[in-house]
Amino acid sequence: MAPTQNALDISIKNILAPNQDHTSKCHTCARCLECIPLEDLPAKEQQLKIKQDEQNTLRAHVSLGRDDNGKKRVIVSLPISHAHAQKLLPGSNRKRVLSELDHKLAKLEPDMRKQIVDEFEKRVSLGFFVKRDSLPADIQARIDASPVRFYISIAPSFKSSSLSTTARCNLNASRQNFLGNSLNSILPTGLSKPNMAKSIRRWRLNKIGLLADISKFFNSAYLETSSFAYNMLVFRKNGDPDQPAEDYIASRLFYGLSSSTALAQLGLELIAEEEEKTCALCNATSKNDETMCEGLAHEFARLVEFIFVDDIFYSVRNEATAQELMTYITSCLAKYSYQLKGWNFSFKINTQDDPCLDTDLLMSVGGGYYDQQLDVIYFKP
């Protein structure tokens, strides 16, 4: 039976789109809000619809697969129209990016330059950056044949407050080419915008709040080889301008791309969806309504909705449930080589050997600091 509309529903739709007929009983045969031409929508609704379309596009660029060793991975490809990229990012910007890198490294003190070189080599050893010459011949040939070979600018930076990485080789995908275009300028962002207020509210909902930091969150997703030509790097051995430059590929997703947050979030959603399919409680009770199931797999799926970038915010009724959920989620993420720096939760006793705590026994989370023993988050002024 066709759904009916009350007077308030019609009134709201008439305000949003005054030129449309919303009086039909069947929403599929009237020009309902979903079918209204973009130009007929108010500005805010236009942007929302555009972002929704982008989000749907992004979903097609994230999948679960296996690497050459048979290990499960989240695999992403950059949502780029190759024809569009060819117009805006033609040819290669290697010479310009290399010149800028030489200039940046020359300005650093020798000790700081060594830290950047060490960090770059560390990423190479982890497989985040891969020498182009070491790639299989067919992939190298595909890169050579690409009309676009976009090199991403390396932006050396230092973060003294970081517990794990002081020197950083940040990748600047917003650096423009000679036409004034950048990789970020042609990438969609989608709807996955982190919402701290939403995350905090969910963290405060129940008695025991859970917090965790996903280590190398973006880098844990593998880049599909079809996107390698857009993720190229150039670096000299030891950062020495007298050494020959070598080409590398950023083979993982990295922070700084317009699409990174949405793609990484979708990857977690896919992992959670995969776990829901194997929910033991659902299978045992033949439940059809998963929203009513209390299985850990569904709790994990709900938790993913409230993640703030790479920080987990959630809460449960008691510590026993918290311990069970933390163990389960750690196990689920490990299947796809995602690792957590550790878990912190309400009223947990602080210890000097806790990997998540700094020298002041505080956890850095969501731009603030968490004292788990007092169960309080302090935000920076």
Side-chain angles (χ1 to χ4, degrees):
M1 182 176 178
T4 59
Q5 300 184 87
N6 60 36
L8 180 59
D9 290 334
I10 295 173
S11 223
I12 291 172
K13 289 186 175 182
N14 282 337
I15 291 172
L16 291 173
N19 296 325
Q20 307 303 319
D21 175 18
H22 304 296
T23 59
S24 174
K25 291 182 180 180
C26 176
H27 72 280
T28 59
C29 63
R31 297 189 68 193
C32 65
L33 194 59
E34 292 300 315
C35 304
I36 297 171
L38 189 64
E39 61 271 16
D40 291 345
L41 288 171
K44 186 174 181 180
E45 296 296 326
Q46 285 186 26
Q47 288 301 312
L48 183 61
K49 189 170 179 60
I50 290 171
K51 294 298 180 185
Q52 182 61 63
D53 291 342
E54 287 183 359
Q55 190 75 6
N56 293 336
T57 299
L58 286 164
R59 287 183 183 277
H61 290 268
V62 187
S63 62
L64 301 181
R66 294 180 183 272
D67 63 16
D68 294 339
N69 297 317
K71 293 183 178 179
K72 292 181 178 180
R73 305 292 187 192
V74 172
I75 302 172
V76 303
S77 60
L78 298 185
I80 293 175
S81 162
H82 300 299
H84 189 53
Q86 192 171 344
K87 292 179 182 178
L88 301 180
L89 307 173
S92 170
N93 60 335
R94 183 180 190 271
K95 184 176 180 180
R96 181 177 183 178
V97 169
L98 179 59
S99 175
E100 290 175 352
L101 178 63
D102 288 341
H103 180 67
K104 291 173 186 175
L105 294 179
K107 290 168 60 177
L108 297 177
E109 295 294 329
D111 179 58
M112 298 176 75
R113 182 163 56 249
K114 184 179 184 307
Q115 290 183 54
I116 293 297
V117 170
D118 289 346
E119 176 61 17
F120 185 91
E121 291 177 349
K122 175 185 174 183
R123 290 179 176 239
V124 172
S125 67
L126 291 171
F128 298 170
F129 298 161
V130 180
K131 274 191 179 182
R132 177 180 171 177
D133 292 344
S134 68
L135 294 171
D138 61 321
I139 296 178
Q140 291 190 54
R142 199 182 310 160
I143 294 173
D144 291 336
S146 174
V148 177
R149 290 187 294 280
F150 192 82
Y151 288 78
I152 299 170
S153 176
I154 296 176
S157 66
F158 299 86
K159 187 177 181 181
S160 58
S161 61
S162 174
L163 292 178
S164 56
T165 310
T166 303
R168 301 189 175 196
C169 291
N170 293 326
L171 303 184
N172 181 12
S174 294
R175 186 69 177 91
Q176 297 177 344
N177 64 2
F178 70 98
L179 292 175
N181 302 314
S182 68
L183 184 59
N184 276 344
S185 69
I186 65 172
L187 287 172
T189 59
L191 284 172
S192 299
K193 185 177 181 180
N195 187 326
M196 173 57 78
K198 175 183 174 183
S199 299
I200 290 291
R201 284 196 298 269
R202 186 59 185 85
W203 175 66
R204 277 299 186 197
L205 183 62
N206 294 308
K207 181 179 179 181
I208 303 298
L210 307 178
L211 288 171
D213 185 346
I214 303 176
S215 180
K216 308 295 183 187
F217 177 48
F218 296 99
N219 298 148
S220 296
Y222 280 58
L223 193 66
E224 215 281 325
T225 56
S226 63
S227 297
F228 279 4
Y230 301 100
N231 256 37
M232 301 187 70
L233 306 169
V234 60
F235 203 80
R236 298 185 192 274
K237 185 176 181 180
N238 299 325
D240 184 349
D242 295 327
Q243 294 289 331
E246 297 178 303
D247 286 354
Y248 292 81
I249 301 295
S251 63
R252 309 288 183 89
L253 187 65
F254 65 86
Y255 178 75
L257 285 176
S258 298
S259 305
S260 286
T261 300
L263 292 172
Q265 177 72 20
L266 287 167
L268 288 183
E269 290 176 11
L270 285 181
I271 293 174
E273 288 171 11
E274 196 67 17
E275 293 301 318
E276 283 186 297
K277 295 175 184 177
T278 60
C279 175
L281 190 57
C282 278
N283 293 334
T285 59
S286 299
K287 287 180 177 289
N288 293 321
D289 186 0
E290 294 179 353
T291 61
M292 301 300 293
C293 181
E294 296 184 357
L296 292 175
H298 306 301
E299 199 72 34
F300 176 31
R302 288 188 282 271
L303 174 147
V304 167
E305 297 177 20
F306 298 95
I307 286 180
F308 183 80
V309 191
D310 58 351
D311 293 327
I312 292 175
F313 287 81
Y314 204 62
S315 61
V316 292
R317 295 185 297 273
N318 52 60
E319 188 171 331
T321 303
Q323 293 290 353
E324 192 177 11
L325 184 60
M326 288 186 292
T327 300
Y328 177 79
I329 291 174
T330 301
S331 173
C332 290
L333 292 177
K335 293 178 185 178
Y336 295 86
S337 299
Y338 283 74
Q339 295 183 344
L340 299 172
K341 293 179 181 177
W343 286 96
N344 295 90
F345 54 89
S346 303
F347 316 117
K348 178 183 177 183
I349 302 300
N350 291 331
T351 59
Q352 294 288 346
D353 60 351
D354 190 320
C356 297
L357 303 184
D358 61 18
T359 54
D360 296 320
L361 299 182
L362 297 173
M363 176 186 184
S364 179
V365 59
Y369 294 98
Y370 176 55
D371 186 327
Q372 60 183 0
Q373 202 160 304
L374 298 178
D375 195 30
V376 174
I377 291 180
Y378 304 98
F379 286 99
K380 301 173 185 178

